[in-house]
Amino acid sequence: MEKNHNKTRINTGSSLLLSIVLVFCILGAVVFSVAHKISMEMSSSAIHNLSESLALIKGTVEAILIKEAEFQKLIAQEIASTEDQERFIRSYNRNKTMVRISLIWSGETEGISNTGQVFSEEELDFSAGKTVDGLPISQSYINSMGTWAYTMKCPVTKDEEEIATLYVEYIYDSFEPSLPIGFYNGSAMLYIMDAKSERFVLKPQGIGERDAGHLNLADFYRANSIMEEDLQEEVANCIKSGNNFMFYHDIRGKDSLIYMWSVNDGAIYLIGYVPIEAIQQEGKTVNQNVLLVVVIMLAAFVICCILYYFNQKQQNRIRMEREAEKEIHNRQLAEALQAAQIASKSKTNFLSNMSHDIRTPMNAILGFTTLLAKDADNPAKVREYTRKITASGQHLLSLINDVLDVSKIESGKVVLTLGEFTLSSLVASVDAIIRPMAKGKEQNFDVSVTDIKHEYLIGDETRINQILINLLSNAVKYTPKGGNIWFRIIGLKQHTNRYEHIRIEVEDDGYGMTPEYLETIFDAFTRAENSTTNKVQGTGLGMAITKNIVELMGGTIEVTSQVDKGSLFRVELELRIPDSQEDEEFWKNSGIRRILAVDDDREICNTIKLLMKDTKVQVDMAFGGAMALDMIQNMNRKGENYDMILLDWKMPDLDGFETANRIREEMHNPVPILFLTAYDGDEVEEEAFHVGHSDVLAKPFFVSAFKEKILKMSIGRCEEKGEEGDDQAGSLKGLHFLVAEDNEINAEILMELLDIEEATCVIVENGQLAIQCFNQSSFGEFDGILMDVQMPVMNGYDAARAIRALNRKDAAEIPIIAMTANAFAEDVKEALDAGMNVHVSKPIDMGLLKKAVNHCIRRKESI
């Protein structure tokens, strides 16, 4: 039985094998027969297809010519209806088809052209008598651009009278986009030939190889060995009569079909050849494809039979499942590795590149500290350096807070701290940080403020300062030595009279950025990467934080940049205008009723006048030293004087110093002079000292800075007279404090600062000792408590609550001021909830501390 079963299985296999062989033989015979028939039919139809292709190309070229002629007629009609035909011609721009348009008036031999050259018909040959849609067409020629061209002329008729002739030059290259890329797989050759000159005027791309020897018909004969005189004569007769012509010939060892196809009644010809094997190639390709399909089908049939016969389906399924499990496992491992690498890289980049933003203000602090040691004997410079160090330190503190606050920015939990500020203080603090950096790289740092109507604004000054420092510090870093940086604040049209609409521009001519990087510039931890900018270190947080802050303020930020040309950042904000008005009494009390602004830049004078509009002070403008002297002389003749003169330091005719000396000669009364300068003030201050009764005011002009300078000059005059001002306002003199501070250095600094203010203190190390010391003190012994928050034994919050709970009358009234490095909004709230009166963040700003203490003491006294 088993033998019979095996025999039956063998017979079944043999029958299957014979069936497959029989199918192969039948398919082979069918394929051979079909292939032979297709080859014969394709060969005969290929010639017909070639004729159709040439006819199509001919129709395309003739359609282009007719369209050009029709368009030229339209232009002629438009010229006829135009009042100033000459202007129309000269203003007509060339395009890819028409490269020159010319016009010759009737009865004249020369005319005008849109190229600005004199035009004459003598340079063209219309003797062949060929036309396109009734318009004569010239013989082909090489134009001024070095390409083959032809010209059609068209009469310009007005009121049924020919007033001129319009000539339009076209180039054969314009045919190329409309011609086929190629046929017969690029093996066919095609030229366009001018019939009269027999010169080849166009070789379309993609149709055969370019051959520099084929310049004309004779070169074509010579290059392809078509030297039979009777054949050449027959071709010449066909071209002369404008007929089509085809003939077979051996070209470079290949049997080929040469064609010469008439276009536009024989004005031009399509000339070329196609190898016979290329004509038959289509049939061979079809046969090969048919055979390939048959082979694939048979192979698939055999494979299916084999797979079915050996029952491999189950084994394949098991193998595929195992491979899928392995692939999933490998993918999970790869994803885990990639996630670990990304996390590690992000952490490393964040920590190692943190110096990018920290070093910016630190550079100013260290630099001015060095200068402070150098100029320790100069009180004026010491005060100036100290102010700039303070500004840089405050920016460094705000920067640290911002870095710690990145997660809050991303989650949308950051809250703006709105307050009134002046643009002058904002620009001055930014200038104090950026200018030394730019000067260190020998860069030009230009600051300008224009069209600003209100100097006092309401907004988050710290955040705006951060935006400016981020943009400007990047401009310095990514601009090479000796480059230029422009910082502009521009007043835009207000959408409402309650808000000042400003644009902030930061521009440089530095390295620039690629279009690819511009797409990710505002993403966190991204930096421009190239061989130049890789020298600049940074965290990549600056632009991301800047964009988030700008959008939080309801503003917009955009950037344009070109590599090696520089970048331009634009930030637009709308800041609320405070309700308070300018103090007119200040100007009356200071004796300032009329001033003269002298600057060769009219925009600066207009800005001064605009900002001083609300002060009721009359502002006269002079745009140079000579003009200023004339105006002062006119005032003297009237018996009047200016109360203050604002004088630009650098002017083209008379500079500021020379003008000031001439003013002193003209005026008997020593009118105060303020030199306006955007340069380093040391040189200007030295020159101003020699002028006498003068000072320096840094550009850009601000009313608040102007008032401050007036007060400074007034105090200086008072000091010269032996007068002393009242320095007691806001003083801590005579006050006694209880200080809870566990850090010895911080405690020592605070003690010294209080000693400078002539105040005393008792220092304890933690909150528990603070409670004991206060409880054991006599009533009124301490005027206030300065309380750190993070301390051992007992923190400041618990200590404040415990003091408020003491059974003493002054326990509920004594001012408690939180002094802590915890500077977030929730920290301020927690301090107030613990019973503290006010929150002052570290490092301690004595100005803020004095305001806080005096505010609390006044409030206590009022109670």
Side-chain angles (χ1 to χ4, degrees), residues 479-494:
T479 300
K481 184 177 181 180
N484 297 281
I485 298 168
W486 296 271
F487 170 36
R488 311 181 190 96
I489 299 180
I490 305 168
L492 303 179
K493 182 180 180 181
Q494 294 176 251

Side-chain angles (χ1 to χ4, degrees), residues 475-542:
V476 173
K477 293 169 187 174
Y478 292 98
T479 300
K481 184 177 181 180
N484 297 281
I485 298 168
W486 296 271
F487 170 36
R488 311 181 190 96
I489 299 180
I490 305 168
L492 303 179
K493 182 180 180 181
Q494 294 176 251
H495 297 140
T496 172
N497 57 5
R498 294 185 61 84
Y499 286 86
E500 182 80 18
H501 188 190
I502 67 172
R503 173 185 292 162
I504 299 170
E505 292 186 351
V506 175
E507 184 178 4
D508 63 71
D509 56 2
Y511 305 127
M513 294 171 282
T514 63
E516 294 76 15
Y517 177 65
L518 287 177
E519 296 179 0
T520 60
I521 184 174
F522 294 115
D523 295 341
F525 305 107
T526 57
R527 294 179 59 249
E529 299 290 340
N530 58 54
S531 59
T532 303
T533 60
N534 279 343
K535 301 175 184 178
V536 181
Q537 299 298 317
T539 62
L541 286 174

